[in-house]
Amino acid sequence: IMWLAIMAAVASSGMSSVGKVLQRKGTKTLPQFSADIKTLSKYLLNRTWALGLLCDISGSFFMVSALASAPVSVIQPVSGGGLVFLSLLSHFFFNEKLKFGEWVAVGFCFVGIVGVGVATTGITQQDQQTSVVRLVLTLASFFGILMLGLRKMRQLQSRMGKSKPKAFAPTCGFFAGCFFSLSATTTRSGFVVGELTGRRLFFGLGGVGCSICNTSVGFMYQTLGLREGNAVMISTITTVTTIMIGMCLGIFALGETLPSSRPTFLLHVMSCAAITTGSLALGNGGWGLGGDLSLVEKALKSKRISGVLPARVKMTLSRYVSSAAKLPVYNPSTDSKSAN
C-alpha cells in the first residue's frame, strides 16, 4: 500500500508540474489574473491554460488517493519527483534536451524517492499518535501566520502601486507551496480524525472540502507567480516549499512518526535531502554542469585520484563520464529555431 501511495504521489506531482508549464504558456496572452468574471472567463476559454488546470485538478485526485493511504511526511517529500517527470517529458517530447547536470539531478530525485519508499515501508497507522487538540491548534496557528504574511505582502504591493517587487513571483510560488502543503495536511487530517471518531465519511469529506479551498488559493498564487516569473523557478519554489512545510505539518500537527531504527532514519533523511537537492538543481539548470566534462575526465586520469580509487571503480566512472559527455545538450537558440 505504501508503494502504491508513493507512485500515486509522484504521478500527482508530475501532472501538476505539466499543468504549471501549460498554464505558464497560456498566461502569455492573458491579462493579469483577478477574481472578476470577465477575467476568469478569458482564462477558462484559453485552451492551453484550461488544459493545464485540468492536469492540476487530475493531479489533486491522485494526491487525495495517496494521502488516504500514507502519512503526509512520506507523501510530500516524494512529490518532488514530479519535476523528474516534467524534465523527462521536456527532454523526449518538448525538444528541450537535458544537460549533464540536470540528468544528475534527475538521478538524485529518483534515488531519493526509492530511498523514502524503502525507509518508510515499516511505518504503520498504529505508529501515528494524533491529538485532535494539537492538530487544530497547529493548523490554526499556521493558517494565522500565513494570513499575516499575505497581509504584509499586499501592504507592500499597495505601496509600490503598479510596479511589482522583484521578489513578487518567488513569493507567490512560496505562498502557493504553503497552501498546497496545507491542502495535503487537511486532506490527511480528515481521514485520520474520521478513523479516531468513527465518522469516516463526514470528516473525510470535510477534509477534502478544506483541501479544495486551500488548493484553489494555491492555484491563484501559483497563477500570479507564473504570470510574472519563470515556470521552472516557480515550480521549484512551490515544490520545495510543499515538501518542507508538508513534512513539518505532518510531524507536528498529525503526530506522524519517522522511521524508528537508526539506519532507516538516516536513509529517510538522506533520501529527503536527495529529493530536495535534485529539485533545487533542476530549477537551477543542474548546478551549471553542461556537456563539457573535460575537468572530470582530467580528474579521473590524475595520479592522486588513480592512487585512491580502485581500478574497477575508476574504469566504471571513466566509461560513465565518456558516455554522459555524448548526451545531447539543450541549446536555447538552436533548439528553439528547430522547434519552430
Side-chain angles (χ1 to χ4, degrees):
I1 296 178
M2 185 69 72
W3 278 107
L4 289 175
I6 289 174
M7 292 173 63
V10 174
S12 167
S13 184
M15 296 184 72
S16 297
S17 298
V18 174
K20 289 180 180 68
V21 174
L22 293 174
Q23 286 176 306
R24 169 60 179 171
K25 290 183 178 180
T27 54
K28 291 182 179 180
T29 58
L30 292 171
Q32 183 173 343
F33 185 84
S34 62
D36 62 277
I37 298 176
K38 186 177 180 180
T39 305
L40 285 174
S41 62
K42 289 182 179 180
Y43 273 79
L44 293 174
L45 292 175
N46 184 285
R47 292 183 179 180
T48 304
W49 190 88
L51 182 59
L53 179 64
L54 181 62
C55 289
D56 261 330
I57 294 173
S58 301
S60 300
F61 283 109
F62 277 101
M63 183 59 72
V64 170
S65 64
L67 291 168
S69 307
V72 177
S73 56
V74 174
I75 295 302
Q76 291 301 86
V78 300
S79 64
L83 286 176
V84 176
F85 182 82
L86 176 61
S87 301
L88 295 177
L89 190 68
S90 300
H91 179 82
F92 290 108
F93 295 100
F94 295 159
N95 199 32
E96 298 180 357
K97 304 303 180 182
L98 297 180
K99 297 179 289 186
F100 171 72
E102 290 170 330
W103 281 109
V104 175
V106 168
F108 264 74
C109 291
F110 179 77
V111 171
I113 291 170
V114 175
V116 169
V118 173
T120 56
T121 302
I123 296 179
T124 61
Q125 300 287 347
Q126 288 74 22
D127 298 331
Q128 186 171 322
Q129 299 177 352
T130 305
S131 170
V132 177
V133 176
R134 182 178 64 179
L135 174 63
V136 173
L137 289 177
T138 304
L139 292 182
S141 300
F142 177 75
F143 187 77
I145 295 172
L146 200 56
M147 290 297 103
L148 181 62
L150 290 175
R151 183 181 178 184
K152 294 290 183 182
M153 188 182 76
R154 289 173 182 172
Q155 290 176 351
L156 178 62
Q157 188 177 354
S158 62
R159 290 175 187 173
M160 299 189 68
K162 294 183 179 180
S163 61
K164 297 288 190 302
K166 292 183 179 179
F168 178 76
T171 304
C172 288
F174 170 77
F175 281 120
C178 289
F179 277 105
F180 288 148
S181 62
L182 189 60
S183 171
T185 306
T186 51
T187 302
R188 180 63 182 170
S189 300
F191 292 125
V192 172
V193 175
E195 289 284 343
L196 293 175
T197 59
R199 303 176 68 181
R200 299 179 184 178
L201 181 61
F202 176 78
F203 285 103
L205 291 176
V208 172
C210 293
S211 174
I212 292 173
C213 294
N214 288 310
T215 302
S216 301
V217 179
F219 280 150
M220 184 184 70
Y221 281 100
Q222 174 183 288
T223 303
L224 288 173
L226 291 173
R227 184 74 178 83
E228 302 293 334
N230 179 271
V232 177
M233 176 189 69
I234 300 302
S235 298
T236 304
I237 293 174
T238 302
T239 299
V240 174
T241 304
T242 304
I243 291 173
M244 296 301 181
I245 301 297
M247 285 188 64
C248 293
L249 289 177
I251 294 171
F252 293 107
L254 288 166
E256 295 174 351
T257 57
L258 296 174
S260 55
S261 65
R262 181 173 295 181
T264 54
F265 175 78
L266 291 176
L267 177 61
H268 186 268
V269 172
M270 293 175 65
S271 299
C272 293
I275 295 171
T276 305
T277 303
S279 300
L280 288 171
L282 282 174
N284 290 279
W287 296 293
L289 294 175
D292 184 13
L293 301 176
S294 58
L295 293 176
V296 181
E297 291 178 335
K298 288 180 181 179
L300 290 173
K301 293 178 181 179
S302 65
K303 293 182 179 180
R304 293 182 179 179
I305 301 297
S306 300
V308 175
L309 292 176
R312 291 185 178 180
V313 175
K314 180 187 173 185
M315 186 180 299
T316 303
L317 289 175
S318 299
R319 289 179 180 176
Y320 174 74
V321 170
S322 61
S323 61
K326 299 177 183 178
L327 288 172
V329 180
Y330 173 56
N331 189 322
S333 59
T334 57
D335 285 355
S336 59
K337 290 179 181 178
S338 62
N340 296 329

